[in-house]
Amino acid sequence: MKCKICSKNNDACFTGKILGKNEIEYFYCNECRFLQTEEPYWLNEAYSQSINVSDTGYMMRNLYLSKKLTLLLYFIFGNKGTFLDYAGGYGVFVRMMRDVGYDFYWDDKYTENLFSIGFEWDKSKKIEAVTLFEAFEHFVNPMEEIKSLLEISDTIIFSTELYPINNPNPNEWWYFGLEHGQHISFFSKETFEYIALSFELNYYCMGSLHILTKRKISKWILFSLKFTHLGLHKLVARKLNSKTWDDHELMKKRV
């Protein structure tokens, strides 16, 4: 099987039982340290619900990331710019970021927009940065997906867990998500470095939060993200104008 990142030959390394019944093979690339499943024939069943019921961290993750992005976007783009949350789920993150004061829009092919109705992306707006969280591990063809994202913006801010350096098997790492079967692509730091080189991008890693971008981002900006627990994001939010009331007025007129 060919690696879906660098096209080198992959080695079958272990198996895992997806959805409690499908014994499937995983393939590891020694060149770029990308791990992928065999071709995922089980996805229709896995996506009977687009947000899997075991994702109990959905709200906490959106709250955590909204604080990080409040800082990151301000230090990179200031208080200007339009942003897109791709694969935006129920629209929670878009609503949170608009409440802070950022001009965010939603897009998702598979999930109903519940919390940011009226702020769907119409593809006519220039997008400064695309965000997508817990989505890379769902990609069937990652390089094609990244190429499509770069046609929207040359800055992609995303979250995914890095495949550990000890190469755990499915019974040793929770992120395989065997119970829901939606995680089929697993990236290491080396994988993202290869991707960045392939698309002539810069890659920045902050644990499970990552950036692929044409821009140069200073270390002090990345370092500042460590201080959200001290409330630095609140100081930044004061420099922005929340869109909560303006959005209310706009949607009232539309109704």
Side-chain angles (χ1 to χ4, degrees):
M1 194 171 185
K2 297 288 187 181
C3 174
K4 291 184 176 181
I5 301 299
C6 68
S7 299
K8 297 294 192 298
N9 288 327
N10 264 347
D11 297 321
C13 52
F14 43 68
T15 63
K17 186 173 286 188
I18 291 283
L19 297 170
K21 58 183 178 181
N22 302 312
E23 196 74 27
I24 59 101
E25 280 193 304
Y26 289 81
F27 295 82
Y28 179 75
C29 178
N30 286 300
E31 184 71 20
C32 69
R33 289 202 66 237
F34 179 66
L35 181 74
Q36 66 195 58
T37 67
E38 62 182 87
E39 286 304 312
Y41 59 85
W42 59 89
L43 289 186
N44 284 341
E45 182 178 358
Y47 284 101
S48 57
Q49 291 180 306
S50 59
I51 308 294
N52 74 78
V53 295
S54 65
D55 188 6
T56 54
Y58 184 84
M59 294 302 295
M60 183 180 292
R61 183 170 62 251
N62 277 281
L63 181 60
Y64 167 81
L65 288 168
S66 68
K67 295 175 182 178
K68 295 287 187 184
L69 269 291
T70 295
L71 290 175
L72 185 62
L73 296 181
Y74 184 79
F75 289 139
I76 297 176
F77 301 103
N79 58 0
K80 304 294 183 182
T82 299
F83 306 94
L84 171 65
D85 192 33
Y86 188 86
Y90 297 133
V92 172
F93 185 76
V94 169
R95 184 65 264 159
M96 285 181 170
M97 296 306 287
R98 293 190 69 84
D99 289 344
V100 172
Y102 289 105
D103 191 23
F104 251 89
Y105 293 86
W106 172 97
D107 188 73
D108 196 309
K109 299 175 184 177
Y110 306 106
T111 308
E112 182 182 1
N113 181 10
L114 300 178
F115 293 96
S116 54
I117 295 172
F119 301 98
E120 295 81 8
W121 181 45
D122 65 7
K123 301 187 180 181
S124 66
K125 297 180 181 296
K126 180 181 182 298
I127 300 298
E128 296 292 345
V130 177
T131 61
L132 64 163
F133 304 118
E134 301 307 296
F136 268 62
E137 62 278 3
H138 296 254
F139 288 164
V140 178
N141 296 298
M143 296 299 270
E144 292 179 14
E145 294 280 1
I146 294 168
K147 182 179 179 181
S148 295
L149 290 167
L150 290 171
E151 291 173 357
I152 301 171
S153 171
D154 62 11
T155 297
I156 306 170
I157 304 170
F158 60 100
S159 71
T160 192
E161 296 293 329
L162 292 176
Y163 187 51
I165 58 174
N166 65 331
N167 295 2
N169 65 45
N171 295 320
E172 298 171 330
W173 192 40
W174 68 276
Y175 206 64
F176 279 102
L178 299 178
E179 75 282 357
H180 55 72
Q182 296 180 3
H183 291 186
I184 58 175
S185 294
F186 305 92
F187 303 78
S188 67
K189 188 175 181 181
E190 291 84 353
T191 311
F192 286 126
E193 288 171 348
Y194 181 92
I195 291 170
L197 187 63
S198 298
F199 289 102
E200 299 182 336
L201 301 170
N202 299 301
Y203 169 60
Y204 302 95
C205 177
M206 298 150 284
S208 61
L209 186 63
H210 314 269
I211 307 173
L212 288 166
T213 181
K214 292 283 188 183
R215 292 171 174 263
K216 295 282 189 180
I217 301 176
S218 69
K219 292 182 179 179
W220 77 265
I221 290 178
L222 304 179
F223 181 73
S224 72
L225 301 186
K226 297 182 179 182
F227 294 97
T228 51
H229 68 288
L230 299 178
L232 182 58
H233 62 287
K234 295 180 181 179
L235 296 178
V236 168
R238 291 177 187 172
K239 298 178 178 292
L240 303 168
N241 294 315
S242 172
K243 297 184 180 298
T244 307
W245 184 255
D246 289 344
D247 287 353
H248 165 73
E249 293 290 333
L250 177 63
M251 295 309 298
K252 188 167 66 173
K253 291 177 182 177
R254 291 185 184 182
V255 171

